[in-house]
């Protein structure tokens, strides 16, 4: 098969090296040799220790905490690769930070998701590979190809194996009105009905649960969202399903486990039986929570990278 560059190389920053190593292991290639460090004042420096001239290069870097450091690492690595004459540079961003700032919610708001897209393009990225963007229209912020992989096939496979024939008494729940389309697609794949938790957000990172739309009484529920940040929305939604909807049990899953601030404590103290997350953001220490389980995205990203390198369709990964 024809490939874009003379060979394929994968590099990683400091945000999620374990995932990059797993991807390389699955593809049977060696992780690229590079050093990403800091000067004494905190400035990022990048040194590449192997030739990338003409290569098809993939840089694996989730822009997760510390968000700004991770983003700068990615931008500087892309610049270093571009100046070293890489044939093509793909920014592999399992988690795309700043995606929640995708529109002007009120007067004089920035649209930071667009700014980040501009910065990636200006740095020299030729394409972007990511997963479960907070808003799928962010793809349109770029003038370069963007492949937005879906995490729901991983969760569908997990829950189909976990519950099997018990799925008949289960419902998928959207934690808010804005996530309905995402949750509906997930419910259809699992052949389950859909319920919605209607909430009203008073201010950032705080929400007030109002009502449960749909009959969840006596049901085992799976809350499906794209990310868990402070955990407030998720835990309040789960409590509403038990208190208002009289659900039998609540499981939850989300693609990106940001888990900032009191998130882990909230999950531990919540009515949620288990929270399944993808490892787009590095996993927390298992000792901190017995309720949180991680599923790996490495096989999906490895296949996507292989297909991009060989110039064949990746649409198979969306099914």
């Amino acid at each position: 098969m024809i490939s874009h560059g003379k060979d394929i190389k994968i590099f990683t920053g400091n945000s999620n090296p374990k995932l990059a190593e797993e991807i390389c292991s699955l593809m049977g290639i060696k992780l690229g040799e590079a050093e990403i460090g800091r000067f004494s004042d905190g400035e990022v420096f990048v040194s590449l220790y192997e030739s990338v001239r003409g290569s098809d290069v993939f840089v694996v870097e989730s822009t997760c905490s510390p968000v700004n450091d991770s983003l700068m690492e990615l931008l500087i690595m892309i610049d270093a690769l571009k100046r070293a004459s890489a044939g093509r540079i793909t920014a592999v961003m399992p988690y795309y930070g700043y995606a929640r700032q995708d529109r002007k919610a009120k007067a004089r708001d920035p649209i930071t998701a667009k700014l980040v897209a501009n910065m990636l393009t200006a740095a020299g990225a030729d394409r972007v590979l990511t997963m479960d963007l907070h808003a799928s229209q962010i793809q349109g912020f770029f003038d370069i190809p963007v492949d937005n992989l879906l995490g729901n096939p991983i969760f569908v496979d997990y829950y189909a194996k976990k519950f099997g024939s018990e799925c008949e008494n289960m419902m998928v729940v959207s934690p808010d009105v804005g996530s309905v389309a995402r949750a509906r697609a997930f419910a259809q794949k699992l052949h389950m009905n859909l319920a919605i938790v209607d909430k009203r957000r008073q201010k950032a990172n705080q929400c007030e649960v109002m009502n449960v739309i749909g009959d969840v009484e006596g049901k085992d529920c799976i809350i499906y969202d794209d990310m868990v940040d402070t955990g407030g929305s998720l835990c309040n939604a789960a409590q509403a399903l038990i208190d208002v909807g009289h659900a039998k049990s609540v499981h939850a899953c989300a693609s990106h486990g940001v888990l900032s601030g009191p998130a882990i404590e909230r999950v531990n103290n919540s009515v949620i039986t288990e929270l399944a997350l993808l490892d787009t953001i590095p996993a927390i220490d298992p000792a901190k929570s017995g309720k949180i389980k991680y599923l790996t995205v490495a096989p999906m990203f490895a296949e996507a990278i292989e297909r991009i390198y060989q110039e064949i369709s990746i649409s198979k990964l969306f099914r």
Side-chain angles (χ1 to χ4, degrees):
M1 293 182 185
I2 298 172
S3 57
H4 192 91
K6 65 179 181 182
D7 59 359
I8 182 171
K9 296 200 173 181
I10 297 177
F11 290 88
T12 185
N14 294 317
S15 72
N16 203 343
K18 184 173 180 286
L19 177 60
E21 288 165 5
E22 287 178 11
I23 291 170
C24 288
S25 176
L26 288 166
M27 295 180 67
I29 62 176
K30 184 171 65 73
L31 188 62
E33 291 185 36
E35 180 184 0
I36 300 92
R38 300 284 186 277
F39 291 112
S40 57
D41 65 349
E43 285 184 11
V44 176
F45 72 82
V46 170
S47 297
L48 304 176
Y49 294 136
E50 59 185 85
S51 173
V52 295
R53 187 175 294 274
S55 299
D56 199 355
V57 182
F58 295 81
V59 184
V60 180
E61 180 85 345
S62 284
T63 48
C64 53
S65 181
V67 179
N68 299 329
D69 286 0
S70 298
L71 179 58
M72 283 306 297
E73 282 185 11
L74 178 58
L75 294 171
I76 294 170
M77 286 188 78
I78 291 169
D79 185 70
L81 291 162
K82 182 181 180 183
R83 294 176 189 279
S85 302
R88 178 173 63 177
I89 304 165
T90 301
V92 181
M93 305 172 69
Y95 170 67
Y96 184 96
Y98 285 110
R100 284 173 284 184
Q101 299 180 45
D102 64 313
R103 67 197 185 282
K104 291 186 70 167
K106 61 182 188 296
R108 296 174 294 280
D109 271 2
I111 304 180
T112 320
K114 169 61 174 166
L115 174 62
V116 171
N118 290 346
M119 291 165 71
L120 287 165
T121 307
D126 295 299
R127 66 185 304 132
V128 172
L129 174 62
T130 187
M131 175 172 273
D132 282 334
L133 287 168
H134 185 64
S136 56
Q137 63 266 25
I138 291 172
Q139 286 179 286
F141 292 178
F142 290 85
D143 293 322
I144 56 177
V146 177
D147 295 307
N148 181 29
L149 298 177
L150 302 178
N152 72 27
I154 299 172
F155 289 123
V156 168
D157 186 56
Y158 173 68
Y159 285 117
K161 288 177 180 174
K162 184 179 178 73
F163 295 112
S165 59
E166 298 174 28
C167 286
E168 291 179 6
N169 193 48
M170 303 191 72
M171 286 187 78
V172 171
V173 179
S174 171
D176 54 48
V177 175
S179 301
V180 169
R182 186 182 294 112
R184 184 188 292 120
F186 181 58
Q188 286 174 340
K189 287 188 177 183
L190 280 170
H191 307 291
M192 294 179 186
N193 290 324
L194 178 69
I196 303 164
V197 175
D198 177 34
K199 69 179 184 184
R200 187 167 299 163
R201 190 180 297 276
Q202 305 297 337
K203 55 184 177 180
N205 292 330
Q206 290 187 13
C207 68
E208 180 186 350
V209 172
M210 303 296 289
N211 199 9
V212 177
I213 303 169
D215 182 13
V216 299
E217 186 170 352
K219 302 280 189 181
D220 296 304
C221 297
I222 303 174
I223 301 176
Y224 180 66
D225 207 355
D226 67 316
M227 71 169 69
V228 179
D229 188 355
T230 60
S233 298
L234 180 72
C235 295
N236 287 344
Q239 194 66 51
L241 290 171
I242 298 293
D243 293 346
V244 180
H246 307 294
K248 181 180 174 185
S249 70
V250 181
H251 289 72
C253 60
S255 300
H256 311 299
V258 180
L259 301 178
S260 60
I264 297 170
E265 183 184 354
R266 282 175 173 171
V267 171
N268 288 341
N269 296 331
S270 73
V271 296
I272 295 169
T273 304
E274 179 189 77
L275 171 60
L277 300 170
L278 302 180
D279 60 352
T280 56
I281 294 172
I284 63 163
D285 181 353
K288 290 184 177 179
S289 177
K291 288 189 175 185
I292 297 175
K293 178 181 178 62
Y294 282 90
L295 310 176
T296 183
V297 296
M300 184 175 281
F301 274 95
E303 185 169 355
I305 289 170
E306 185 70 40
R307 285 171 171 267
I308 290 169
Y309 172 60
Q310 296 190 352
E311 302 284 10
I312 56 179
S313 172
I314 70 164
S315 60
K316 168 181 175 284
L317 300 178
F318 295 97
R319 293 192 291 273

